[in-house]
Every structure is written in C-alpha cells, then in structure tokens.
Amino acid sequence: MKRSGNPGAEVTNSSVAGPDCCGGLGNIDFRQADFCVMTRLLGYVDPLDPSFVAAVITITFNPLYWNVVARWEHKTRKLSRAFGSPYLACYSLSVTILLLNFLRSHCFTQAMLSQPRMESLDTPAAYSLGLALLGLGVVLVLSSFFALGFAGTFLGDYFGILKEARVTVFPFNILDNPMYWGSTANYLGWAIMPFTAEIYRQKASGSHKRS
C-alpha cells in the first residue's frame, strides 16, 4: 500500500476499498425505475385546471410583489415622497397587500375544491387535523400582528418606521418567522378541511339521489 503526496492520505485499490455502488450514476438504467409513487401523487393534482393555475400565480406573485416594492421603497423613498408621509405610504401598500391576500385565499379555495379528492381525507380525523392546523395558524398570525403592530406587520421597517427594539416576545421567541409559518399552517389546514367537507357533501348528495 503506497502513501500519497498528502500526509495521512492513503491510496487503496478496489479490492480494499470495496466495489463502487452501482458503478456510478452512469450505469443506472432509469428505464427500470419505479415511478408509481410519483404517478399516484400526480393523480391528485390537475395542473391544467384554471383554478389551480390562478392559485399558483397568486401564491407566487404576492410575496414577490410586496418584497420588491418594500425593497424599492427602502432604497429610493419614492413612495414616502409621493404620499407625503412614510406612514401613509405604508398604509397604502398594506391595502394592496390585503386585497391581494383576499384574492389569493379565494383562488386557493377554488383550486382545492376543483382538484381530485384523496380517499385518506374521507375521515373526521382528517377534518379535525385541518381544524387544528387552522387554529395554530390563526394563533401565530394574530399574535405576530399584535406583537409587531400594524406598520410592523406591513413592512413598516422598510419605510423607516421602526420600533425602539427588536420584537422578542411570543411568538418571536419560539420561531424566526411566525407570520409565514402561521400562514402556511392556515393554508394547509384549510386545504384539508375543504377536501373533507366536499367529500361528505358529495356523499350526502349521492345518498339523496339514490333515495
């Protein structure tokens, strides 16, 4: 066994090091891969559904919009000068954010109702899970709002509206971005609940038709 030029390094042959697993990625035959799991997951999503497309667009656009506008304002102060006050400029941006959030929620709900159903959600337990996630999300979002205040919630720091010190009370003492985590829990819980409610509605409708 020979020493290499680097101290502590050793050169070994394949009989000592063991065979290379799969012979490298170049020897993998992807034609033999099992895509049944991916196929099953795609069976629950219709990416061409207009409601799904609208939901994806609003979910993607909304945070991009307010982050771009807030950073632009932070660098130029043009909104503050246009409105004559950083507070008025911040409040005006908050109105557009709220309107976009209402639109996003509507598109998201319509997408959930129009997508294929998952049989595993056809249980009261699934509905209870969705309700619990929604409750957790509401707690995180509301507690974040009360801790930050209106201007702080709607990017007031980018307008020069700062608090005396960084907020460290609940829920910021347990999470770095509680508002975002709360929104995620809200949408996940709401997604489970419309699915389950719609399943039971269809089941009840089918029972009435048979009778």
Side-chain angles (χ1 to χ4, degrees):
M1 189 177 298
K2 295 182 180 180
R3 292 279 182 181
S4 67
N6 294 329
E10 295 181 351
V11 177
T12 61
N13 56 33
S14 59
S15 62
V16 177
D20 183 15
C21 178
C22 303
L25 293 176
N27 292 334
I28 297 179
D29 187 357
F30 289 99
R31 293 173 298 180
Q32 299 180 4
D34 185 2
F35 293 103
C36 64
V37 175
M38 182 62 68
T39 303
R40 180 177 297 180
L41 290 176
L42 290 177
Y44 294 114
V45 178
D46 180 8
L48 299 181
D49 177 56
S51 298
F52 178 82
V53 174
V56 170
I57 292 175
T58 55
I59 290 172
T60 304
F61 173 77
N62 286 14
L64 180 64
Y65 161 75
W66 65 62
N67 275 287
V68 169
V69 172
R71 292 172 187 270
W72 174 71
E73 163 64 16
H74 181 67
K75 291 181 179 180
T76 65
R77 298 300 185 203
K78 288 189 176 181
L79 284 178
S80 295
R81 288 197 292 269
F83 285 95
S85 166
Y87 286 92
L88 187 57
C90 178
Y91 297 154
S92 300
L93 176 62
S94 70
V95 171
T96 64
I97 292 176
L98 288 173
L99 291 176
L100 285 172
N101 283 344
F102 286 135
L103 177 62
R104 178 180 62 183
S105 297
H106 172 74
C107 292
F108 181 84
T109 301
Q110 295 304 310
M112 291 300 99
L113 295 176
S114 64
Q115 289 296 300
R117 306 291 183 260
M118 294 182 66
E119 294 80 4
S120 58
L121 295 179
D122 189 8
T123 62
Y127 190 86
S128 299
L129 174 61
L131 193 62
L133 287 171
L134 187 63
L136 174 63
V138 169
V139 169
L140 290 176
V141 170
L142 290 181
S143 59
S144 299
F145 176 82
F146 289 125
L148 293 172
F150 190 90
T153 299
F154 292 100
L155 307 170
D157 48 344
Y158 287 88
F159 291 81
I161 305 172
L162 302 175
K163 288 184 170 291
E164 296 181 0
R166 184 178 179 180
V167 176
T168 57
V169 298
F170 179 85
F172 292 91
N173 57 349
I174 60 173
L175 291 171
D176 288 334
N177 299 290
M179 186 74 74
Y180 288 104
W181 284 111
S183 297
T184 301
N186 280 340
Y187 280 106
L188 180 58
W190 185 238
I192 296 174
M193 291 173 66
F195 265 47
T196 308
E198 182 66 11
I199 288 171
Y200 280 97
R201 187 192 67 78
Q202 292 178 357
K203 181 182 294 186
S205 177
S207 300
H208 288 306
K209 289 181 180 179
R210 287 193 297 269
S211 61

